[in-house]
Amino acid sequence: MAYLLLMISVALTAAAQILFKHGIQRMPREPELLRFLGGALLSPFVVIGMVLFGMGFLIWLVALRDIPVSRAYAFVALGIVLVSLFGHLFLREYVSLRGSIGILLVVTGLVVVATSPS
């Protein structure tokens, strides 16, 4: 169950990143930092992203009760994979061949960590 929670946490955090990006892309360019941040906090996409990010954090805390932090943190790398995939699917961002190879290496490392004895 703890690993399922861990995966849900990573997925929520990745989805939040895509919502953050989408929300700020829809905003007009604002050179003043405080105006930019104020506008970002009013973006529905950013606000929903913040909620998902918070939910992911809370679920992460529950998962950490039963999973060693060194093992759990390796799963954060899965977020890289999900953000790249979601960015490609929903934001039409390009993933280069080198990027794809890097993602494959991340997945390989995750499999090694996940299948190694505790």
Side-chain angles (χ1 to χ4, degrees):
M1 179 67 162
Y3 282 95
L4 175 62
L5 291 175
L6 190 63
M7 301 295 250
I8 291 169
S9 170
V10 171
L12 287 171
T13 303
Q17 296 299 326
I18 298 305
L19 287 166
F20 293 155
K21 174 74 173 187
H22 183 68
I24 63 169
Q25 280 183 325
R26 296 172 57 102
M27 293 173 45
R29 281 242 181 246
E30 179 59 60
E32 189 178 320
L33 180 61
L34 289 178
R35 283 188 186 203
F36 168 76
L37 292 175
L41 291 176
L42 294 175
S43 165
F45 294 103
V46 172
V47 171
I48 293 168
M50 289 169 43
V51 169
L52 292 182
F53 198 82
M55 289 171 52
F57 169 73
L58 295 175
I59 292 169
W60 173 264
L61 291 178
V62 174
L64 280 181
R65 288 187 307 184
D66 300 318
I67 301 172
V69 72
S70 59
R71 182 172 282 239
Y73 204 74
F75 281 82
V76 172
L78 181 60
I80 296 168
V81 175
L82 292 178
V83 168
S84 296
L85 177 65
F86 293 167
H88 177 71
L89 293 175
F90 300 114
L91 301 175
R92 306 283 189 250
E93 293 186 349
Y94 176 72
V95 179
S96 68
L97 177 60
R98 284 182 144 194
S100 297
I101 292 169
I103 290 168
L104 183 60
L105 290 171
V106 168
V107 170
T108 303
L110 184 57
V111 168
V112 169
V113 169
T115 59
S116 66
S118 298

